[in-house]
C-alpha cells in the first residue's frame, strides 16, 4: 500500500471521495468520520498525585523506620517516634516533588496542537475547531498558521513550512504537491507533507488531512513519551541497595538479639523490647537520605548560580558525573543555528570573512589583510543584500532575523563590509521569490545614481552556472564547479550570486526568462551554521575525561561529518551513518553502530530514541541533549535528558531532567566535573555515616548479650544519628574536587558504590568505635564516674571520633597534609557540631531531655584521646594501602 507522500493528487481525491478540492467533505461525511476516528486531540492520562505520593513509601528503609516508629509509640517514647516519622515524611516529599516536576511533557505536547483550522466543507471555506478535523478534510494554509494535522500538500504557492522542532532542519522547507516515488523517504525530506505542530512561514496552499490525533507524527512522539516509564538513577539504585543491605543486616541482628535475650531472660520483656528498638534505631542510618539530599541540593543550587542550569531531579546531578556518552542535537546546540558567510570567491579572488552569527561584527579579509571593496566584490555584496526577503534587526544585545537563515547570512555580510548605517543606491522594484523548482531568488532594482535597472540573483550554483554560460560562451564551468565541490566536501553550503543589467525598456516585474537570457556570475559564498567556539574546548575536555559525544542531526552526512571534524567531536576519523542505513540494521548491529559512529545524519525522532536505547543496552550511561519536539522521547529515555533553555521547546524542557539556561553546550563539561565531585562526596559521606550506625548497634548488642544495662537510650542514639552525624556530614557538601578528576574515565555501570576495601574499612572502624566507646564507658565508671557521667562521655567519644574520622575519610591522602584544604564553610559546619555538643552537655533542659550531664576538662581530654585513636588506625590503613599500590606499580 502506498504511503501518503507517494499518492498523486488524483489518487488522494479518489481515496478520500473528494470531487473537487474546494468542495471538500460534506458535513455529514465529516461527522461520520469524527464518530469513527475520534477527535483530533492527544489524550493525556496523568498518574494521580496521591498514587505518586504513596509509592514513595515503597522502600525497605522506610518500612523499618515505620515499624521502629510504631514500636517507640507502643513503649511510650513519643519524641523518638515524632523524629523518625519526620524523617520518613521528609524523604517521601522529596521523592514526590522530584517525580511530579518532570511529568508535564505530555501536556505540553497537547498544547502545541493548533486550536483552529480553515477547511473546505460543503463547498464553503470555513473556520472550525481543529479538534473536529477528520481524515479527508481539505485544509487551507497561509503564512502564520500552525498546521492542525498531518497533511498531504495538494496545492502550493511558494509555501514554506518551518519544521525544525520536529525534524531538526534549520531552514523552512519549500513544499510541493508532486508525489514522491521512493518508498522510504526520511521525515525531513517529505516535501509534499505538512505535519501537525509545525508552522507556515510564507506562501499558501491546500492540504488533505491524512492523520489526526495520536496517528500524527507528533501524536506518535506523544505515545513514545507516555510509554517511557520513570527510571531510577544509578545513584538512587546504589543508595537503595546500600539501604536494603543495611536494613536486612539490622533486622537479622535485631531478631537474633531479641531471641537470645528472650530465651536467656536477660531482661524483662518491656526492657528487652526497648533495648532492641534502641539497637534498631541506632543501626538504621536515618540521616542517609537527608544527607544525600542536602549534598545534591547544594549541587543543584551551585549549578544554577554558576552555570545557569536548572536541575529538575536532584539525583540527576550525580548522574552527570557517571555519563559515558552524550548524544546531542547539532543545530542550535553544537552550532549557533545562525548561518554565516565565511568565505567568498569574487572572480578569481578568494576572501575570508571573520565573525559568526547574525551580529554584523567582523570584516572581509584577503591574505589575512582587510580587503578593499572593488566593483566586483561590491556588486556581489549587493546581490546578496538585494535578492533577499528576510529582515535583520537588533533586539537589545541580540541580532535576530525574520525569514530564512541563508538570507540572514547575506544581510549580515553586507553590513560587516559596508556598515550598519550604509544606504544602498539600489531601489527594489520587484521580487521573484525562491521556488523549489528553480532554486534561486531574484530582485529587480533600479540604481538611483544612474537610473539603470539591474536584476540581482542568488541561488543554487548549478542554476546560476547555466545562466552564466548563456551570457559567456567561454564560461569556465569546471573551475567554478571545483570550487563548489571543495567547499561542499568541507560541509559548507555554497550559494552563487550574479547580476544582469536590464537593456532596452524598463521592466515592471522580473520573470524567469529574463535570467535565462544570461547573467554575469559575480562569485560564490560559502555559508556555515557556525560551530560554537566554546563547544570545541568543551569537547576536548570531554574526550580527555573519556566521555564520547554523538551528534544526531537532520543534515546530510557529508555536512554533518565535516562539522564534526571541525568541532573535534572525537579524536581521529569521524564516522557517520544515516537514519535510512540505521533502520536496516538488526538490534545487535545497531548497538555496534551506536558505539562506533560519531555522527547520525538524516535521522527521525524514532531513530534518536533507538540510538539512546542502543547505547543503554551496551551498558553505557547516556545523556541526551536537544531542543525540539522530536527530541522529547530520547530526552525522557536517556539516563539524563538535557534541554536548551532559550531555544528549546516547552516539550523538550519538560521531558528533560536538566535545562541549560544559556543554551551553552560547553556547560556540559563543567557540570560533568561537578557531578563527579558530588558522587565522590556522597560516597565519602556514606562511608563516613554507616560505621557510626553499626557502632551504635554493636554497643547495644554487646550490652544485651552481656546482660549489662544498655548505656545508650534511643533518644541519645537519634541525637548521634540525626544531629551530630548530619552536621559533620554537611562538611562534605563543601569538599573540593579531587586533583585529576576529569582525567579519570567514567566509572563502569557494574561498579558499586563501595569497593571491597571500603567494606573492610567500615567494618573495622565500626568495631573500633564500639570498642573504644565501651572501653571508655567502663574506664570512666571504673574511675569513680557516675553512670550518667560515663554515658555523657560515651556519647561525646562517639561524636568526636566521628570528627577525627572525617579528617581521615575526606581524602586518600594523609589527613594532616590535607587539613589546609578544608574550606572555611566546612570549618564552620564543624564549629556548629561542636557547639551542639556543648549545648547538649551543659544546657540544663538539654541535659534533662537527653539524660546527660556536664563533664570536666580532664574528662574532655580523655574523650579526645579515645576519639583520636580512630583516625590513627585509619591513617595506618592508608599507609598500608599506599605501599600495596607502589608494589603493584613496581611489579
Amino acid at each position: 500500500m502506498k504511503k501518503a507522500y507517494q499518492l498523486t493528487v488524483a489518487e488522494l481525491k479518489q481515496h478520500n471521495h473528494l470531487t473537487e478540492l474546494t468542495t471538500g467533505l460534506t458535513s455529514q461525511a465529516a461527522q461520520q468520520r469524527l464518530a469513527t476516528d475520534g477527535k483530533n486531540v492527544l489524550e493525556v492520562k496523568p498518574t494521580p498525585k496521591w498514587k505518586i505520593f504513596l509509592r514513595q513509601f515503597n522502600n525497605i528503609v522506610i518500612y523499618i523506620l515505620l515499624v521502629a516508629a510504631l514500636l517507640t509509640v507502643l513503649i511510650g517514647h513519643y519524641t523518638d517516634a515524632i523524629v523518625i516519622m519526620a524523617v520518613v515524611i521528609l524523604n517521601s516529599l522529596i521523592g514526590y516533588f522530584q517525580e511530579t516536576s518532570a511529568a508535564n511533557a505530555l501536556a505540553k505536547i497537547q498544547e502545541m496542537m493548533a486550536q483552529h483550522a480553515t477547511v473546505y466543507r460543503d463547498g464553503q471555506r470555513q473556520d472550525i475547531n481543529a479538534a473536529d478535523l477528520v481524515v479527508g478534510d481539505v485544509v487551507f494554509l497561509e503564512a502564520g498558521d500552525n498546521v492542525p494535522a498531518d497533511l498531504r500538500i495538494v496545492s502550493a504557492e511558494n509555501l514554506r513550512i518551518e519544521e525544525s522542532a520536529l525534524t531538526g532542519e534549520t531552514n523552512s522547507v519549500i513544499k510541493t504537491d508532486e508525489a514522491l516515488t521512493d518508498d522510504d523517504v526520511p521525515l525531513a525530506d517529505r516535501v509534499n507533507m505538512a505535519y501537525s505542530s509545525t508552522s507556515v512561514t510564507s506562501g499558501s496552499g491546500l492540504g488533505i488531512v491524512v492523520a489526526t490525533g495520536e496517528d500524527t507524527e507528533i501524536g506518535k512522539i506523544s505515545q513514545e513519551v507516555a510509554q517511557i516509564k520513570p527510571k531510577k538513577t544509578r545513584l538512587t539504585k546504589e543508595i537503595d541497595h546500600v539501604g536494603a543491605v543495611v536494613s536486612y543486616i539490622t533486622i537479622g541482628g535485631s531478631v537474633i538479639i531479641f531471641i537470645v535475650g528472650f530465651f536467656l531472660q536477660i531482661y524483662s520483656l518491656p526492657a528487652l523490647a526497648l533495648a532492641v528498638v534502641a539497637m534498631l534505631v541506632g543501626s538504621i542510618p536515618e540521616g542517609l537520605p537527608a544527607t544525600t539530599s542536602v549534598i545534591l541540593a547544594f549541587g543543584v543550587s551551585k549549578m544554577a548560580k554558576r552555570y545557569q542550569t536548572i536541575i529538575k531531579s536532584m539525583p540527576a546531578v550525580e548522574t552527570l558525573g557517571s555519563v559515558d556518552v552524550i548524544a546531542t542535537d547539532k543545530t542550535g546546540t553544537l552550532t549557533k543555528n545562525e548561518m554565516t558567510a565565511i568565505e567568498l570567491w569574487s572572480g578569481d579572488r578568494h576572501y575570508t570573512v571573520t565573525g559568526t552569527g547574525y551580529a554584523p561584527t567582523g570584516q572581509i579579509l584577503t591574505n589575512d589583510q582587510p580587503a578593499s571593496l572593488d566593483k566586483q566584490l561590491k556588486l556581489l555584496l549587493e546581490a546578496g543584500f538585494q535578492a533577499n526577503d528576510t529582515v535583520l534587526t537588533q533586539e537589545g544585545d541580540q541580532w535576530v532575523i525574520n525569514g530564512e537563515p541563508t538570507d540572514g547570512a547575506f544581510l549580515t555580510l553586507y553590513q560587516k563590509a559596508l556598515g550598519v548605517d550604509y544606504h544602498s543606491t539600489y531601489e527594489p522594484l520587484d521580487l521573484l521569490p525562491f521556488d523549489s523548482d528553480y532554486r534561486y531568488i531574484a530582485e529587480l532594482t533600479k540604481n538611483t545614481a544612474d537610473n539603470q535597472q539591474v536584476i540581482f540573483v542568488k541561488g543554487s550554483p548549478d542554476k546560476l552556472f547555466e545562466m552564466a554560460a548563456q551570457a559567456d560562451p567561454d564560461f569556465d564551468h569546471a573551475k567554478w564547479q571545483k570550487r563548489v565541490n571543495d567547499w561542499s566536501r568541507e560541509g559548507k553550503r555554497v550559494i552563487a550570486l550574479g547580476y544582469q543589467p536590464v537593456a532596452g525598456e524598463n521592466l515592471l516585474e522580473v520573470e524567469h526568462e529574463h535570467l535565462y537570457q544570461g547573467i554575469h556570475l559575480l562569485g560564490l559564498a560559502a555559508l556555515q551554521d557556525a560551530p560554537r567556539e566554546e563547544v570545541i574546548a568543551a569537547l576536548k575536555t570531554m574526550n580527555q575525561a573519556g566521555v564520547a559525544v554523538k551528534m544526531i542531526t537532520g543534515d546530510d552526512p557529508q555536512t554533518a561529518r565535516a562539522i564534526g571534524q571541525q568541532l573535534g567531536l572525537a579524536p581521529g576519523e569521524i564516522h557517520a551513518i544515516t537514519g535510512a542505513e540505521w533502520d536496516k540494521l538488526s538490534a545487535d548491529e545497531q548497538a555496534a553502530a551506536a558505539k562506533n559512529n560519531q555522527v547520525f545524519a538524516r535521522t527521525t525522532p524514532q531513530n534518536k530514541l533507538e540510538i539512546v536505547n542502543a547505547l543503554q543496552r551496551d551498558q553505557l550511561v547516556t545523556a541526551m541533549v536537544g531542543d525540539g519536539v522530536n527530541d522529547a522521547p530520547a530526552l525522557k529515555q536517556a539516563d539524563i535528558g538535557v534541554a536548551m533553555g532559550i531555544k528549546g521547546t516547552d516539550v523538550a524542557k519538560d521531558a528533560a531532567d536538566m535545562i541549560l539556561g544559556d543554551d551553552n553546550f560547553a556547560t556540559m563539561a563543567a557540570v560533568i566535573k561537578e557531578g563527579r565531585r558530588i558522587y565522590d562526596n556522597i560516597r565519602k559521606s556514606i562511608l563516613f555515616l554507616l560505621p557510626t550506625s553499626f557502632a551504635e548497634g554493636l554497643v547495644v548488642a554487646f550490652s544485651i548479650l552481656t546482660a549489662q544495662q544498655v548505656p545508650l537510650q534511643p533518644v541519645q542514639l537519634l541525637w548521634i544519628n540525626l544531629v551530630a552525624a548530619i552536621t559533620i556530614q554537611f562538611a562534605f557538601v563543601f569538599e573540593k574536587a579531587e586533583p585529576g578528576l576529569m582525567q579519570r574515565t567514567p566509572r563502569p555501570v557494574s561498579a558499586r558504590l563501595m569497593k571491597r576495601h571500603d567494606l573492610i574499612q567500615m567494618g573495622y572502624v565500626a568495631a573500633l568505635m564500639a570498642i573504644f566507646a565501651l572501653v571508655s564507658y567502663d574506664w570512666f565508671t571504673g574511675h569513680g564516674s557516675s553512670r550518667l557521667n560515663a554515658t555523657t562521655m560515651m556519647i561525646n567519644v562517639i561524636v568526636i571520633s566521628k570528627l577525627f574520622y572525617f579528617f581521615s575519610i575526606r581524602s586518600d591522602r594523609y589527613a594532616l597534609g590535607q587539613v589546609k584544604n578544608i574550606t572555611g564553610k566546612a570549618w564552620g559546619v564543624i564549629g556548629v557540631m561542636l557547639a551542639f555538643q556543648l549545648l547538649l552537655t551543659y544546657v540544663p533542659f538539654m541535659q534533662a531531655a537527653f539524660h546527660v550531664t556536664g563533664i570536666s576538662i580532664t574528662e574532655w581530654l580523655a574523650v579526645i584521646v579515645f576519639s583520636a585513636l580512630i583516625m590513627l588506625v585509619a591513617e595506618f590503613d592508608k599507609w598500608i594501602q599506599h605501599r600495596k599500590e607502589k608494589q603493584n606499580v613496581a611489579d
Side-chain angles (χ1 to χ4, degrees), residues 769-828:
M769 279 187 177
I771 291 169
F772 292 155
L774 288 167
V775 168
S776 66
Y777 182 84
D778 289 340
W779 188 83
F780 289 132
T781 54
H783 285 74
S785 296
S786 66
R787 288 190 177 276
L788 185 63
N789 193 266
T791 297
T792 304
M793 287 188 283
M794 188 180 199
I795 294 170
N796 280 296
V797 165
I798 294 175
V799 171
I800 303 303
S801 66
K802 290 169 71 69
L803 177 57
F804 279 106
Y805 185 50
F806 164 77
F807 291 132
S808 180
I809 197 68
R810 58 180 292 271
S811 175
D812 291 335
R813 295 171 175 80
Y814 296 116
L816 292 178
Q818 296 303 307
V819 170
K820 63 180 182 296
N821 295 328
I822 299 177
T823 64
K825 291 180 180 178
W827 280 118

Side-chain angles (χ1 to χ4, degrees), residues 442-463:
E443 177 88 55
L444 174 64
T445 68
K446 182 178 74 173
N447 189 345
T448 56
D450 58 11
N451 289 324
Q452 171 69 50
Q453 284 190 333
V454 178
I455 299 173
F456 290 107
V457 60
K458 177 183 80 203
S460 174
D462 61 327
K463 293 293 185 181

Side-chain angles (χ1 to χ4, degrees), residues 266 312 475 697:
I266 298 172
K312 294 164 56 181
F475 176 72

Side-chain angles (χ1 to χ4, degrees), residues 574-648:
I574 301 296
H575 299 282
I577 185 174
T578 65
E581 293 169 338
W582 172 272
D583 290 335
K584 296 175 183 177
L585 302 178
S586 65
D588 290 341
E589 289 171 334
Q590 285 182 346
K595 190 172 183 179
N596 297 329
N597 288 279
Q598 292 80 37
V599 171
F600 300 82
R602 291 296 188 201
T603 54
T604 65
Q606 181 62 28
N607 290 152
K608 294 185 179 185
L609 180 60
E610 290 168 350
I611 291 165
V612 170
N613 274 322
L615 291 166
Q616 290 176 322
R617 283 198 307 271
D618 203 25
Q619 298 296 298
L620 297 172
V621 178
T622 305
M624 174 68 198
V625 183
D627 58 2
V629 179
N630 58 335
D631 299 317
L635 285 168
K636 191 173 180 183
Q637 174 62 40
D639 296 287
I640 178 165
V642 182
M644 295 295 156
I646 299 173
K647 295 181 180 178

Side-chain angles (χ1 to χ4, degrees), residues 53-93:
F53 180 73
L54 287 181
R55 68 185 178 207
Q56 305 307 317
F57 292 85
N58 185 22
N59 182 290
I60 183 66
V61 174
I62 298 297
Y63 295 155
I64 293 173
L65 291 176
L66 289 173
V67 170
L70 177 62
L71 290 174
T72 51
V73 169
L74 293 175
I75 61 179
H77 285 246
Y78 301 115
T79 303
D80 297 357
I82 290 171
V83 173
I84 294 171
M85 285 305 301
V87 172
V88 169
I89 293 172
L90 176 64
N91 289 332
S92 300
L93 287 173

Side-chain angles (χ1 to χ4, degrees), residues 207-404:
I208 295 177
V209 176
V210 294
T212 61
E214 294 185 352
D215 293 327
T216 62
E217 290 298 324
I218 196 172
K220 294 173 185 176
I221 292 174
S222 173
Q223 293 177 60
E224 288 173 350
V225 171
Q227 290 168 4
I228 299 170
K229 304 300 180 185
K231 53 197 174 299
K232 290 185 176 182
T233 65
R234 285 180 65 192
L235 177 66
T236 305
K237 292 176 183 176
E238 290 173 5
I239 291 177
D240 286 350
H241 176 73
V242 170
V245 170
V246 171
S247 301
Y248 293 138
I249 292 173
T250 301
I251 292 171
S254 300
V255 169
I256 291 171
I257 294 298
F258 182 83
I259 292 172
V260 171
F262 180 79
F263 282 105
L264 294 180
Q265 297 184 345
I266 298 172
Y267 299 94
S268 64
L269 190 59
L272 179 62
L274 179 60
V276 170
V277 168
M279 178 180 173
L280 193 66
V281 171
S283 299
I284 289 292
E286 296 95 338
L288 178 59
T291 304
T292 302
S293 296
V294 169
I295 294 175
L296 291 172
F298 183 81
V300 168
S301 176
K302 180 179 178 181
M303 288 186 185
K305 292 176 182 177
R306 183 174 296 182
Y307 306 119
Q308 295 182 291
T309 61
I310 301 169
I311 307 290
K312 294 164 56 181
S313 170
M314 285 199 296
V317 178
E318 180 280 326
T319 304
L320 284 164
S322 57
V323 164
D324 296 296
V325 181
I326 300 174
T328 177
D329 184 32
K330 174 186 75 71
T331 304
T333 305
L334 302 179
T335 62
K336 294 184 175 182
N337 196 16
E338 297 177 347
M339 294 300 292
T340 305
I342 58 175
E343 289 186 78
L344 305 171
W345 274 109
S346 176
D348 286 328
R349 292 187 178 181
H350 177 256
Y351 301 91
T352 58
V353 186
T354 62
T356 59
Y358 295 133
T361 304
Q363 55 186 328
I364 300 175
L365 305 176
T366 179
N367 298 321
D368 296 327
Q369 298 296 321
S372 60
L373 298 183
D374 59 25
K375 182 179 179 181
Q376 176 96 350
L377 179 57
K378 193 168 182 180
L379 280 173
L380 182 146
L381 296 172
E382 285 288 352
F385 181 78
Q386 297 295 339
N388 201 308
D389 61 355
T390 292
V391 177
L392 174 69
T393 57
Q394 186 175 13
E395 297 181 1
D397 294 333
Q398 298 291 320
W399 288 82
V400 295
I401 62 165
N402 183 1
E404 294 302 309

Side-chain angles (χ1 to χ4, degrees), residues 159-235:
L159 180 64
R160 295 188 186 192
I161 298 182
E162 200 276 311
E163 300 176 335
S164 62
L166 193 63
T167 66
E169 287 283 2
T170 306
N171 291 313
S172 298
V173 179
I174 298 291
K175 295 298 180 178
T176 178
D177 59 5
E178 296 295 326
L180 304 177
T181 57
D182 292 345
D183 188 42
D184 286 318
V185 180
L187 194 70
D189 293 337
R190 297 175 191 172
V191 293
N192 60 4
M193 297 289 295
Y195 293 104
S196 178
S197 82
T198 61
S199 56
V200 180
T201 56
S202 65
S204 61
L206 296 177
I208 295 177
V209 176
V210 294
T212 61
E214 294 185 352
D215 293 327
T216 62
E217 290 298 324
I218 196 172
K220 294 173 185 176
I221 292 174
S222 173
Q223 293 177 60
E224 288 173 350
V225 171
Q227 290 168 4
I228 299 170
K229 304 300 180 185
K231 53 197 174 299
K232 290 185 176 182
T233 65
R234 285 180 65 192
L235 177 66

